[in-house]
Amino acid sequence: MAVQDVDDEAPAGGRRRPLSFRTKAFYGVGSVANGAYVALGGLAMFFYSQVVGVPPHIVSLAISAVIFIDGFWDPLIGHGSDQFRSRIGRRHPFLYLAMFLVPVALFLRWHPPGWDASVMFWYILGTGLFVNLAWSLYEIPSGAMAPELAPDYHDRTVLLGYRWILGSLGTALATVLIYGIFLRKTPEHPVGQLNADGYGPLSIAIILIFLAAGLTMALGTQKQAAGFHQRPNEPGRTFRDDWRDALVTLTNRNFIVALMAQVIAGLGFGIAAGLTLYFQTYLWELKAQDILILTLLGIPGPIFGGILAPRLARRFGKKKAAMALFFTSVVFGHTPMFLKLIGVLQLNGTPALLWVLASFTFVQMVCAIAGYILASSMIGDIVEEVQVRTGRRAEGLLTTADSLPSKIVNAIAALIPGLILTAVAFPTKAQPSDRTMELITQVGWLYLPTVLVLFLGSVATWSFYRLDEESHARNLKTIAGDPPP
């Protein structure tokens, strides 16, 4: 990713020059907030069940309902940001609104009252909906800016590389705060992630990261946003016209392929999200400092992934490269657990365990990040294909139209960890022991084949995607008024 310090505004000919390093960095910094937010959110199932003491089936039911309901407003926010008109652009008013709402929502989420377990369902549900709605106002418009910031086929991949690299660094930063500071091991809490007093201050630290990163991104891209496409003022345009264009967008072949791949993978990710900390705590018997070290050892992974993605795309094309990367990621990501379950990898409590886990995790992370960058870029390429057919850009709709089906699936997936834990009678507020090892092994044998089938099915689905560099170039020429012969 070469450093270029040139102006990003469109020259007289109407085409944008390659993005400067400054703009790529400002845009990428915004995803530091994403990474920190995801790291904190991944603790919710564990926090409410093992720390607060709410039965896991109640927690998973509330989280599932939040995800399901969230799927209805995401496309509305995305489409609304596509259609919005203002002096500061289509996306930025939503970003600035989120700066006020997200901190309040996160504070309430991680400072629960001491209510009865049955009543806590409504608190988990209500705060979860507030957090997700506030976050959507930030994440959806910021993600929708990428295709317009970088129209070029390969420049787009590089820009998204910055976004994924810095997002992963945000996750790493949050993990350091989680396991190195707020949930670290203490004499009173030898398993730091069971320390109830650490979660509230942790949430405030994540709020500060969000505000710093979000404002940097919003203010740093404000100049470019003023030159973005704005919806034309068409007094005679009807709702039927908007619906027709939306239907063309949503029935695009390549979008449907991307949608199906994401839905299938989302089911696997939803199951994994609810159980990852359980496996770290009870299967591998990792302490908070172990999880921290494991995270620190993986920090270079996203950087290598961000560098690797555009190079593989240029040599093999985005689709082939993404499929190969995702397949490799799945294999390396799940091999240690398989070896543990069959009795081969018996290294708990030894320094060698962290090195083995770190080695597999590093390869898994490099390949996954590179694959996600390419998949995001491929979805971005659909924007111009739709614009050729409708005359309108629909980045917000395209990036959120999969929200409802994906989140219906994710809502189902969020139920599964709680149901599995309840089925094996996994106790709440449990300390690692021989009994919890026996139970988490049962969970692992249910988990592993399920997620492998889902992730590999998602990889195979990408084979039906058809956009490549040549077809993207034709779309850009058509949009510029210079259709190919």
Side-chain angles (χ1 to χ4, degrees):
M1 288 178 279
V3 174
Q4 305 176 64
D5 193 15
V6 297
D7 196 338
D8 304 320
E9 293 185 26
R15 295 175 183 266
R16 292 183 184 274
R17 300 187 183 102
L19 286 177
S20 68
F21 168 76
R22 180 183 59 196
T23 300
K24 291 172 184 174
F26 276 135
Y27 181 68
V29 164
S31 63
V32 171
N34 300 50
Y37 171 83
V38 170
L40 179 64
L43 303 176
M45 178 71 192
F46 188 91
F47 170 67
Y48 277 103
S49 61
Q50 290 300 317
V51 179
V52 179
V54 181
H57 68 280
I58 292 179
V59 180
S60 62
L61 180 61
I63 294 175
S64 175
V66 168
I67 295 172
F68 175 77
I69 297 170
D70 185 46
F72 287 92
W73 60 56
D74 278 0
L76 297 177
I77 294 172
H79 186 61
S81 73
D82 287 336
Q83 304 300 314
F84 199 78
R85 292 173 59 88
S86 78
R87 292 186 299 104
I88 60 173
R90 294 186 291 168
R91 319 293 181 186
H92 280 65
F94 294 85
L95 300 180
Y96 295 129
L97 177 60
M99 295 298 117
F100 292 97
L101 296 181
V102 170
V104 177
L106 287 179
F107 184 87
L108 292 174
R109 180 67 162 173
W110 296 95
H111 290 79
W115 294 347
D116 182 77
S118 60
V119 184
M120 280 301 297
F121 168 83
W122 298 106
Y123 187 85
I124 298 170
L125 175 65
T127 57
L129 290 173
F130 187 15
V131 167
N132 281 25
L133 175 60
W135 184 254
S136 293
L137 293 171
Y138 174 78
E139 169 59 13
I140 293 170
S142 63
M145 284 197 289
E148 197 160 14
L149 275 171
D152 179 76
Y153 186 76
H154 291 297
D155 201 30
R156 179 171 292 167
T157 302
V158 173
L159 175 66
L160 289 168
Y162 278 76
R163 183 170 172 84
W164 279 97
I165 288 172
L166 290 168
S168 298
L169 292 178
T171 301
L173 172 61
T175 305
V176 170
L177 292 174
I178 292 168
Y179 299 110
I181 298 178
F182 296 103
L183 302 185
R184 67 183 184 276
K185 175 183 176 180
T186 66
E188 297 79 16
H189 299 281
V191 180
Q193 52 267 44
L194 294 172
N195 180 8
D197 295 333
Y199 285 88
L202 168 64
S203 69
I204 295 174
I206 300 300
I207 288 169
L208 294 176
I209 292 174
F210 163 73
L211 289 173
L215 285 171
T216 298
M217 185 271 291
L219 296 173
T221 57
Q222 183 66 77
K223 181 180 177 182
Q224 287 71 33
F228 284 174
H229 170 85
Q230 292 245 28
R231 179 181 64 84
N233 188 10
E234 300 173 299
R237 187 172 178 84
T238 65
F239 176 79
R240 183 176 180 180
D241 296 325
D242 285 336
W243 172 251
R244 184 189 64 239
D245 288 347
L247 189 61
V248 171
T249 300
L250 300 179
T251 55
N252 177 278
R253 171 200 168 92
N254 293 303
F255 171 73
I256 292 174
V257 169
L259 169 64
M260 293 305 300
Q262 290 182 93
V263 165
I264 296 170
L267 185 54
F269 285 127
I271 297 171
L275 292 174
T276 295
L277 192 52
Y278 275 87
F279 289 133
Q280 291 175 331
T281 303
Y282 301 109
L283 182 68
W284 300 113
E285 297 178 315
L286 300 179
K287 303 296 189 293
Q289 64 268 26
D290 298 324
I291 300 174
L292 173 60
I293 292 171
L294 193 61
T295 302
L296 294 176
L297 291 174
I299 284 178
I303 299 173
F304 282 100
I307 295 171
L308 186 64
R311 285 161 173 75
L312 291 179
R314 289 181 184 276
R315 181 163 184 178
F316 301 107
K318 293 180 184 179
K319 183 179 80 171
K320 289 182 180 179
M323 291 180 66
L325 287 164
F326 281 140
F327 179 81
T328 306
S329 173
V330 171
V331 172
F332 274 82
H334 296 88
T335 295
M337 180 181 290
F338 175 71
L339 295 177
K340 172 71 173 177
L341 293 178
I342 64 174
V344 173
L345 190 60
Q346 300 296 327
L347 297 175
N348 283 24
T350 69
L353 176 64
L354 283 181
W355 289 108
V356 170
L357 293 179
S359 299
F360 279 93
T361 300
F362 181 82
V363 177
Q364 183 268 336
M365 184 179 295
V366 170
C367 293
I369 294 297
Y372 296 145
I373 291 169
L374 294 177
S376 300
S377 186
M378 290 158 66
I379 294 171
D381 294 340
I382 302 171
V383 169
E384 285 80 16
E385 185 177 50
V386 168
Q387 188 177 3
V388 167
R389 297 182 63 184
T390 67
R392 291 171 172 268
R393 297 185 67 88
E395 297 96 327
L397 181 60
L398 276 171
T399 55
T400 57
D402 67 332
S403 180
L404 181 57
S406 293
K407 290 190 175 179
I408 290 174
V409 170
N410 289 345
I412 296 172
L415 279 173
I416 295 175
L419 295 177
I420 292 175
L421 293 166
T422 300
V424 302
F426 202 96
T428 61
K429 299 188 176 182
Q431 295 290 330
S433 64
D434 291 341
R435 177 57 179 162
T436 59
M437 178 62 73
E438 177 186 345
L439 295 174
I440 203 65
T441 300
Q442 295 177 32
V443 172
W445 278 119
L446 294 171
Y447 165 86
L448 191 60
T450 303
V451 295
L452 284 176
V453 168
L454 292 169
F455 287 137
L456 293 176
S458 174
V459 174
T461 302
W462 280 110
S463 64
F464 297 99
Y465 182 90
R466 292 292 180 265
L467 270 176
D468 56 18
E469 185 174 4
E470 182 180 345
S471 56
H472 182 73
R474 287 198 302 268
N475 289 333
L476 288 179
K477 287 183 178 180
T478 302
I479 291 168
D482 182 24

